[in-house]
Amino acid sequence: MKDLETGLCFASGGSGYDPLSSKINQVIPLSDQIKLFKDYKRKLKRGVGERRAKNIIDNSVFLISSGNNDILFSYFSTNLRRFHYDVPSYTDLLVNFASQFFRELYDLGARKFVVLNTSPLGCLPFSRTIGGDIVRDCANEYNEAVKMFNHKLSSHLTLLTQQLPHSTMVYIDFYNPFLDIILQPITYGFEVSKKGCCGTGLLETAILCNKFSPGKTCADSSQYVFWDSLHPTELASKAIVSKLIPQLYH
């Protein structure tokens, strides 16, 4: 019961604002995450009573990080959305999906939102490999799409704050701090940012990083910004977080 009172995670890696992303990655979509939150509220009320449960929800901070899988996989890598939308129309669609999700949470009692924007997807090792040039520079097309979405998301959060009484929407810039670490790894104590530590570091990710992966896992992951072709190492994650926390107090 103590866990129910202090904090829970409903996230599912590989999901996104776009329902298609969850289907592609075969993970729990936001719609089902909402159902899990509803179930949590019922359990919380049974455990601590309705008044205490309401107080917990009213004062909880809802941390949301999404959009990366939508742009990287549903749009660029698979082209499934790209067949039907250009970047401006797809980013509009994503903002609509995001808005619907935020409003559903609000209707369920959420009032304090911390929303991370989307990361510099074009500079991930995976994106450099499939979308970059011969020297694996950042895939600018990806980053331009991300910046367009982030701008629209920020503007919409401002609008939602005005439309939803007693709500607080805090927009956190994840893009620029992470990009700075990727482009200037030496400044942050890293040596390698164009490839991941595991396997070849060019394409492998998650379960594809295993003993059968081509190449060898690096001897010292502390020198790398990325563990695999998509995800930062533990040290890089700490460096990113140290640049995000001050934004909460502005």
Side-chain angles (χ1 to χ4, degrees):
M1 180 53 65
K2 277 296 180 184
D3 287 342
L4 295 184
E5 295 182 46
T6 56
L8 292 174
C9 178
F10 299 94
S12 181
S15 63
Y17 293 123
D18 186 344
L20 178 61
S21 299
S22 298
K23 293 180 180 178
I24 292 172
N25 294 309
Q26 297 184 316
V27 296
I28 302 172
L30 292 188
S31 57
D32 285 348
Q33 293 175 40
I34 288 286
K35 292 177 183 177
L36 291 173
F37 178 57
K38 290 178 179 178
D39 184 54
Y40 157 74
K41 286 187 64 180
R42 287 191 289 268
K43 291 179 180 177
L44 187 64
K45 286 180 182 179
R46 287 199 300 267
V48 302
E50 187 166 351
R51 177 178 293 183
R52 171 68 176 149
K54 183 180 184 305
N55 184 63
I56 290 173
I57 299 298
D58 286 346
N59 290 284
S60 293
V61 175
F62 290 75
L63 177 63
I64 300 164
S65 175
S66 195
N68 294 290
N69 295 299
D70 302 322
I71 294 174
L72 184 57
F73 294 113
S74 295
Y75 193 80
F76 282 112
S77 299
T78 65
N79 287 321
L80 291 176
R81 288 298 193 195
R82 203 173 188 178
F83 289 131
H84 305 285
Y85 300 90
D86 58 13
V87 169
S89 59
Y90 184 62
T91 51
D92 284 342
L93 180 68
L94 282 186
V95 170
N96 288 335
F97 282 138
S99 180
Q100 179 182 347
F101 178 60
F102 300 148
R103 288 177 181 274
E104 285 186 84
L105 284 175
Y106 178 85
D107 290 341
L108 291 170
R111 292 295 181 268
K112 300 176 182 179
F113 298 79
V114 174
V115 183
L116 275 64
N117 70 8
T118 302
S119 65
L121 299 176
C123 295
L124 306 183
F126 177 88
S127 304
R128 290 176 185 267
T129 300
I130 67 170
D133 54 27
I134 193 169
V135 295
R136 300 184 66 253
D137 285 330
C138 295
N140 289 327
E141 184 181 22
Y142 294 23
N143 282 347
E144 289 304 313
V146 169
K147 287 190 285 187
M148 181 178 291
F149 170 66
N150 286 344
H151 175 73
K152 292 178 179 179
L153 178 65
S154 176
S155 298
H156 193 72
L157 289 175
T158 300
L159 179 63
L160 284 179
T161 301
Q162 298 168 355
Q163 293 179 342
L164 303 178
H166 309 296
S167 67
T168 300
M169 302 275 182
V170 178
Y171 174 84
I172 298 294
D173 178 19
F174 189 92
Y175 180 98
N176 286 297
F178 193 12
L179 181 63
D180 193 50
I181 293 172
I182 294 171
L183 298 183
Q184 302 186 77
I186 303 298
T187 303
Y188 297 91
F190 303 105
E191 295 183 10
V192 183
S193 64
K194 283 193 172 185
K195 66 177 185 177
C197 170
C198 80
T200 64
L202 306 179
L203 285 172
E204 300 95 334
T205 183
I207 61 172
L208 296 180
C209 284
N210 55 58
K211 63 182 180 180
F212 301 110
S213 301
K216 294 183 178 180
T217 298
C218 68
D220 184 4
S221 64
S222 68
Q223 298 178 1
Y224 285 70
V225 172
F226 291 94
W227 164 248
D228 57 19
S229 67
L230 295 177
H231 305 100
T233 58
E234 182 177 355
L235 280 180
S237 296
K238 289 180 178 179
I240 296 167
V241 169
S242 71
K243 295 167 73 69
L244 300 185
I245 290 178
Q247 297 182 50
L248 293 171
Y249 301 99
H250 285 177

